[in-house]
Amino acid sequence: MIRQVLMCCFVTIFLIGCSGINFSEWRFPYMYPVQQGNYINRQQMAQLRAGMTKEQVTFVIGHPVTQFMFNSNQWQYVYQDYKNDKLKDSYIVNLNFDPTTQKLIQIESVGAVKTK
């Protein structure tokens, strides 16, 4: 009886070792990959041009995640991708508009905007 239990334990451990699971990335309970913010790809960034109106920018990349309370002419798009509570990808895109004409005057990007 003891031999059978030990043999079952040995076979189980052997099969787990051959399964190819990377236990350093595996967690229990399963943690779903979380994406937060606006996902912007390179094609959308290439469409942004100085002189665009706020409506045109919204059509191309959507509404901003945050708008500064004291400066409605600065829009910020933030994106973060987490897997197993670890930050996998992140970038910030800042857009500045002219206060008088309400047209895009400056595009700043922090981090790499990627193509999925």
Side-chain angles (χ1 to χ4, degrees), residues 12 14-16 28 33-34 36-37 41 60-61 65 72-73 84 92 96 111:
T12 303
F14 178 75
L15 290 175
I16 288 173
F28 185 81
V34 177
Q36 297 177 336
N41 59 31
V60 172
I61 58 177
V65 172
S72 64
N73 295 313
N84 292 333
I92 299 171
N96 294 310

Side-chain angles (χ1 to χ4, degrees), residues 30-96:
Y30 175 72
M31 301 179 101
Y32 191 75
V34 177
Q35 297 177 350
Q36 297 177 336
N38 295 67
Y39 176 72
I40 302 171
N41 59 31
R42 287 184 190 161
Q43 290 80 15
Q44 290 171 315
M45 284 294 290
Q47 291 177 5
L48 292 178
R49 302 267 185 255
M52 293 177 78
T53 64
K54 289 183 178 183
E55 292 79 20
Q56 291 170 329
V57 171
T58 303
F59 180 76
V60 172
I61 58 177
H63 291 283
V65 172
T66 61
Q67 237 179 346
F68 293 103
M69 184 180 353
F70 301 111
N71 185 3
S72 64
N73 295 313
Q74 186 174 12
W75 288 5
Q76 189 172 52
Y77 294 83
V78 179
Y79 176 79
Q80 295 178 330
D81 187 9
Y82 287 91
K83 183 175 181 184
N84 292 333
D85 284 343
K86 293 179 183 172
L87 185 61
K88 199 171 99 175
D89 190 19
S90 174
Y91 59 80
I92 299 171
V93 176
N94 289 318
L95 302 179
N96 294 310

Side-chain angles (χ1 to χ4, degrees), residues 16 19-27 84:
I16 288 173
S19 67
I21 296 174
N22 186 356
F23 286 102
S24 64
E25 291 184 10
W26 185 78
R27 302 228 180 183
N84 292 333

